[in-house]
Amino acid sequence: DAGVTQSPTHLIKTRGQHVTLRCSPISGHKSVSWYQQVLGQGPQFIFQYYEKEERGRGNFPDRFSARQFPNYSSELNVNALLLGDSALYLCASSLRYTEAFFGQGTRLTVV
Amino acid sequence: EDQVTQSPEALRLQEGESSSLNCSYTVSGLRGLFWYRQDPGKGPEFLFTLYSAGEEKEKERLKATLTKKESFLHITAPKPEDSATYLCAVQAEYGGSQGNLIFGKGTKLSVKP
């Protein structure tokens, strides 16, 4: 069975640029969440989507946005990148209020 | 405010030396408590879900328990391959963080042969 897949696995961007990260959930899972993890910290919640609607938003600036498509895949967009946006971005899928399964993450480096 | 505190931050064990990791939490109604294992540079790997005080779950050398204020992850006779960061997360039933996972900073476990 395919797990949660994220692309790309690594990315290097320059300050001020825009980035799009992609996630395909486990088949049958309708909930997708995004988390940011900086070195030495636990993952921090960014967004949750369920049935293509935003169901939760963490404490992140408006430069961060996301959407979920009819096939339940999702994109996370970050505008006007800052050095502090460098992190491991994790996507998780779940049925809804059940255990979440994570992808391998996208390592974003902003230079 | 919903929050999770894990201790210790780091733990070094000899192979076969059993120990426990702690996860203390405050949350607006606990929907579930989750344990994950994370290897360097990888996404967290799901281990256990606990829903109510008194519940226990086991998997190989790991056993998770839950009380009303904390959870323990007991590691019995660990092996070097158990070395990883163990993350605890809670999901709130009410309030602004309802539905999402609130993580602790993790405990980095090193098991030496």
Side-chain angles (χ1 to χ4, degrees), chain B residues 15-89:
Chain B
E15 185 172 1
E17 180 187 2
S18 301
S19 188
S20 295
L21 314 183
N22 177 263
C23 170
S24 299
Y25 64 90
T26 54
V27 67
S28 309
L30 180 68
R31 185 184 295 275
L33 184 142
F34 305 86
W35 282 98
Y36 289 86
R37 170 194 169 124
Q38 187 174 29
D39 293 306
K42 303 282 182 69
E45 174 190 345
F46 170 73
L47 293 174
F48 302 111
T49 309
L50 301 166
Y51 292 106
S52 55
E55 191 174 358
E56 299 182 351
K57 294 272 179 75
E58 281 190 72
K59 179 181 179 180
E60 296 180 357
R61 295 177 292 283
L62 300 177
K63 179 180 175 180
T65 62
L66 180 64
T67 72
K68 287 190 176 178
K69 298 200 172 190
E70 56 191 350
S71 176
F72 293 93
L73 185 64
H74 308 278
I75 304 177
T76 302
K79 298 182 177 182
E81 53 262 42
D82 294 322
S83 298
T85 295
Y86 290 85
L87 295 166
C88 173

Side-chain angles (χ1 to χ4, degrees), chain A residues 4-75:
Chain A
V4 178
T5 57
Q6 293 186 241
S7 62
T9 54
H10 295 85
L11 203 50
I12 299 175
K13 289 287 190 178
T14 304
R15 275 178 299 175
Q17 285 190 315
H18 163 90
V19 69
T20 298
L21 310 181
R22 295 179 174 83
C23 172
S24 293
I26 292 170
S27 177
H29 285 188
K30 297 181 179 180
S31 177
V32 170
S33 297
W34 288 94
Y35 291 81
Q36 181 196 66
Q37 187 177 26
V38 299
L39 204 59
Q41 301 291 315
Q44 269 209 298
F45 172 71
I46 310 175
F47 286 109
Q48 184 192 35
Y49 277 77
Y50 179 74
E51 286 283 17
K52 292 153 281 183
E53 289 189 13
E54 182 183 304
R55 303 294 180 145
R57 172 187 282 255
N59 189 24
F60 281 80
D62 291 344
R63 299 184 296 106
F64 289 76
S65 64
R67 55 181 175 167
Q68 187 176 34
F69 298 99
N71 66 352
Y72 302 109
S73 67
S74 179
E75 279 183 357

